[in-house]
């Protein structure tokens, strides 16, 4: 569609609203404003209009501001605790230093709209301007209670950098890249890191583009508090009943919780299995040196483990690595003396094992050398030494609830 058609027919530029649901309340807590154009009975997205570099910024700003005005006029119908998300391209937000846009928001505030309900969603990473100026503007907006959200992680290498620069209240994660059940471990690890970062800075995770049940489950499992997507509700010109999806979401959460409980039972059962098995081997080899102990362990765990070694409580490796490759088990002497205390949770787990007097089965993670998803079972073997047994992916695959 020609941009001129839109600019000369602003009456048919209309806002659509896509609801955002919360995990804790299972109801609508916000709406994102989307631009649409009504043409001969068809509703057309204005996404391409705003992304077109050939259209001057002032024209985009005019259409965008009109959408904001129309959306906020309708927002007076909503309850006072429902937020409004306004998509703001960083360049468009900086138009005339952001003053005209803020002036319009303040005009609505005078009419009774609490600006604490406004969330500015800063989209994409293509901003070429001075980030310090953008940060100053956002901090200025925040003095009026306006919140900031940034999106998203798919195909955006600067996402984490922008989080540290803009310190948003909401981090929006696009699940568009998640198109199949084959979820990348790296993707999951990135989201786990992101959830930790969000917790550290006090930000909330919002997952968008949820189109299937497993994506909702993925969002729920990875710390998402807010959800958005066609699976829950498509955008529309009118607001919906806030409780519309409440029972459905409660049912879904019950399913997710039941699945995670079954998985936790499997993990704890596996930990208990390894504890009993290894403890039995240790009991039979009380006077054995490390090499003799490994021989006994290999006999019992050949189809389970692929690497074993012993460290002291400070993380210094006291034994060689015993490693199972394509040609069988081998000894890797070069690891003696290496220190692993820098690994996340290493010292915390040592203290936990020492205090509880039993082993620990780790979370799933990617092995640095093999690149495969593994777990590690670690257990105290005397007053100062700890045995580490890396569980092979094949074994986890065969016991799929451990993956």
């Amino acid at each position: 569609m020609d941009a001129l058609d839109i600019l000369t027919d602003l009456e048919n530029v209309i806002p659509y609203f896509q609801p955002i649901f919360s995990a804790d309340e299972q109801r609508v807590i916000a709406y994102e404003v989307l631009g649409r154009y009504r043409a001969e009975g068809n509703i057309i997205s204005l996404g391409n209009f705003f992304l077109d570099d050939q259209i001057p910024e002032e024209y985009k700003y005019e259409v965008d501001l009109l959408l904001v005005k129309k959306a906020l006029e309708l927002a007076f119908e909503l309850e006072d605790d429902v937020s409004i998300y306004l998509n703001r391209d960083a360049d468009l937000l900086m138009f005339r230093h952001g003053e005209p846009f803020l002036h319009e928001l303040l005009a609505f505030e005078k009419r009774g709209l609490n600006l604490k309900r406004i969330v500015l969603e800063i989209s994409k990473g293509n901003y070429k301007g001075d980030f310090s100026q953008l940060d100053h503007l956002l901090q200025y907006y925040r003095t009026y209670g306006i919140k900031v959200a940034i999106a998203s992680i798919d195909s955006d290498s600067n996402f984490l950098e922008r989080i540290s620069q803009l310190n948003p209240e909401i981090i929006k994660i696009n699940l568009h890249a998640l198109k199949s059940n084959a979820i990348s471990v790296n993707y999951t690890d990135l989201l786990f890191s992101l959830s930790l970062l969000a917790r550290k800075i006090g930000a909330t995770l919002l997952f968008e583009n949820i189109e299937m049940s497993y994506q909702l489950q993925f969002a729920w499992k990875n710390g998402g508090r807010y959800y958005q997507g066609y699976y829950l509700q498509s955008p529309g010109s009118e607001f919906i009943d806030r409780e519309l999806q409440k029972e459905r979401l409660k049912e879904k959460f019950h399913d997710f919780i039941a699945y995670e409980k079954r998985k936790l039972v499997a993990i704890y059962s596996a930990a208990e299995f390894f504890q009993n098995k290894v403890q039995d081997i240790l009991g039979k080899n009380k006077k054995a040196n490390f090499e003799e102990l490994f021989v006994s362990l290999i006999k019992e765990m050949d189809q389970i483990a692929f690497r074993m070694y012993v460290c002291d409580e400070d993380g210094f490796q006291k034994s060689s690595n015993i490693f199972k490759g394509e040609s069988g088990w081998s000894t890797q002497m070069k690891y003696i003396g290496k220190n692993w205390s820098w690994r996340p949770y290493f010292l915390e787990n040592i203290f936990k094992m020492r205090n509880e007097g039993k082993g620990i089965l780790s979370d799933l993670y990617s092995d640095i050398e093999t690149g495969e998803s593994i777990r590690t079972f670690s257990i105290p073997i005397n007053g100062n030494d700890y045995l580490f047994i890396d569980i092979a992916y094949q074994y986890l695959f065969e016991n799929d609830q451990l993956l």
Side-chain angles (χ1 to χ4, degrees):
M1 171 160 292
D2 194 287
L4 190 60
D5 293 336
I6 296 172
L7 293 166
T8 57
D9 188 21
L10 294 178
E11 182 180 344
N12 282 306
V13 170
I14 58 174
Y16 259 43
F17 302 92
Q18 186 164 33
I20 296 168
F21 297 83
S22 75
D24 43 341
E25 298 182 54
Q26 303 100 52
R27 66 173 184 162
V28 176
I29 50 84
Y31 285 93
E32 179 180 354
V33 177
L34 304 172
R36 296 291 187 265
Y37 178 67
R38 189 167 45 213
E40 300 177 355
N42 297 317
I43 301 297
I44 303 169
S45 171
L46 289 175
N48 290 334
F49 173 85
F50 289 112
L51 292 174
D52 190 342
D53 293 334
Q54 303 302 313
I55 300 175
E57 291 295 311
E58 55 266 29
Y59 293 163
K60 292 181 182 178
Y61 179 80
E62 181 182 359
V63 173
D64 182 78
L65 191 59
L66 179 63
L67 282 169
V68 170
K69 288 181 178 180
K70 289 184 176 182
L72 295 184
E73 286 289 348
L74 294 171
F76 284 111
E77 303 173 11
L78 295 169
E79 294 178 66
D80 291 341
D81 62 336
V82 178
S83 298
I84 301 295
Y85 282 60
L86 302 175
N87 275 297
R88 310 304 297 171
D89 176 88
D91 289 309
L92 206 58
L93 185 64
M94 291 297 293
F95 184 74
R96 295 178 184 172
H97 307 290
E99 287 293 341
F101 177 66
L102 180 59
H103 177 76
E104 293 296 337
L105 294 182
L106 292 175
F108 277 95
E109 184 185 42
K110 290 179 181 178
R111 294 172 54 193
L113 183 71
N114 190 338
L115 294 190
K116 290 182 179 179
R117 296 170 59 190
I118 301 297
V119 179
L120 297 183
E121 183 181 323
I122 312 301
S123 58
K124 302 303 179 184
N126 56 0
Y127 178 59
K128 301 299 191 297
D130 187 338
F131 256 104
S132 64
Q133 292 184 12
L134 176 62
D135 182 52
H136 273 296
L137 178 62
L138 293 177
Q139 294 299 339
Y140 180 47
Y141 280 9
R142 283 185 169 113
T143 63
Y144 292 95
I146 298 169
K147 300 180 181 66
V148 174
I150 63 172
S152 57
I153 68 168
D154 70 325
S155 70
D156 186 353
S157 59
N158 296 320
F159 187 61
L160 294 178
E161 181 182 354
R162 288 189 294 128
I163 290 176
S164 64
Q165 290 172 323
L166 303 181
N167 198 30
E169 286 80 11
I170 296 154
I171 299 173
K172 196 169 187 184
I173 299 170
N174 192 341
L175 289 183
H176 179 74
L178 206 62
K179 285 295 186 182
S180 74
N181 286 304
I183 299 170
S184 159
V185 172
N186 291 336
Y187 189 81
T188 305
D189 289 344
L190 175 58
L191 287 183
F192 178 71
S193 300
L194 194 55
S195 67
L196 292 179
L197 175 59
R199 184 179 179 186
K200 290 286 187 182
I201 67 174
T204 298
L205 295 184
L206 189 167
F207 284 80
E208 65 175 334
N209 278 329
I210 295 174
E211 298 177 355
M212 301 182 73
S213 177
Y214 78 87
Q215 292 175 317
L216 177 62
Q217 182 176 12
F218 184 84
W220 172 84
K221 184 178 179 180
N222 285 279
R225 184 181 182 185
Y226 300 147
Y227 313 124
Q228 181 184 25
Y230 280 78
Y231 179 73
L232 297 171
Q233 190 69 34
S234 58
S237 59
E238 298 180 351
F239 303 120
I240 64 171
D241 179 356
R242 295 184 70 181
E243 311 290 327
L244 182 65
Q245 301 288 1
K246 192 176 188 72
E247 292 306 314
R248 181 185 178 203
L249 283 172
K250 286 174 69 174
E251 183 180 339
K252 284 292 179 183
F253 291 162
H254 278 304
D255 291 343
F256 301 160
I257 292 166
Y259 175 81
E260 289 302 318
K261 284 182 175 179
R262 290 194 299 272
K263 193 165 184 176
L264 286 171
V265 167
I267 291 169
Y268 280 110
S269 295
E272 187 175 0
F273 167 76
F274 291 133
Q275 172 72 32
N276 294 334
K277 192 174 190 67
V278 176
Q279 195 67 58
D280 181 61
I281 297 171
L282 291 174
K284 295 175 180 177
N285 293 269
K286 290 181 180 179
K287 296 183 180 180
N289 58 32
F290 294 148
E291 288 71 22
E292 292 168 340
L293 174 61
F294 291 143
V295 170
S296 296
L297 287 166
I298 288 171
K299 289 179 181 178
E300 297 292 331
M301 305 189 72
D302 182 60
Q303 300 303 310
I304 298 174
F306 74 97
R307 184 193 291 123
M308 306 177 193
Y309 55 97
V310 174
C311 291
D312 66 18
E313 64 176 19
D314 291 332
F316 287 95
Q317 188 161 331
K318 297 180 68 174
S319 76
S320 57
N321 270 8
I322 307 300
F323 183 81
K324 184 180 183 181
E326 293 182 0
S327 57
W329 291 91
S330 62
T331 300
Q332 299 172 320
M333 301 293 292
K334 64 180 181 179
Y335 289 95
I336 296 176
K338 289 187 179 291
N339 184 267
W340 308 111
S341 61
W342 54 268
R343 286 178 170 173
Y345 309 114
F346 184 91
L347 293 177
E348 181 181 337
N349 286 339
I350 291 290
F351 271 84
K352 187 174 182 180
M353 286 189 286
R354 189 172 71 183
N355 290 339
E356 297 181 2
K358 63 180 183 179
I360 293 174
L361 184 62
S362 75
D363 293 335
L364 194 69
Y365 67 97
S366 294
D367 184 65
I368 294 175
E369 293 187 3
T370 67
E372 292 188 332
S373 297
I374 69 167
R375 290 181 185 268
T376 297
F377 180 73
S378 49
I379 186 171
I381 59 176
N382 54 48
N384 299 305
D385 298 332
Y386 296 81
L387 171 66
F388 294 82
I389 302 174
D390 290 339
I391 310 301
Y393 173 80
Q394 184 62 34
Y395 179 84
L396 299 179
F397 180 77
E398 291 168 358
N399 298 268
D400 62 346
Q401 286 195 311
L402 296 180
L403 284 176

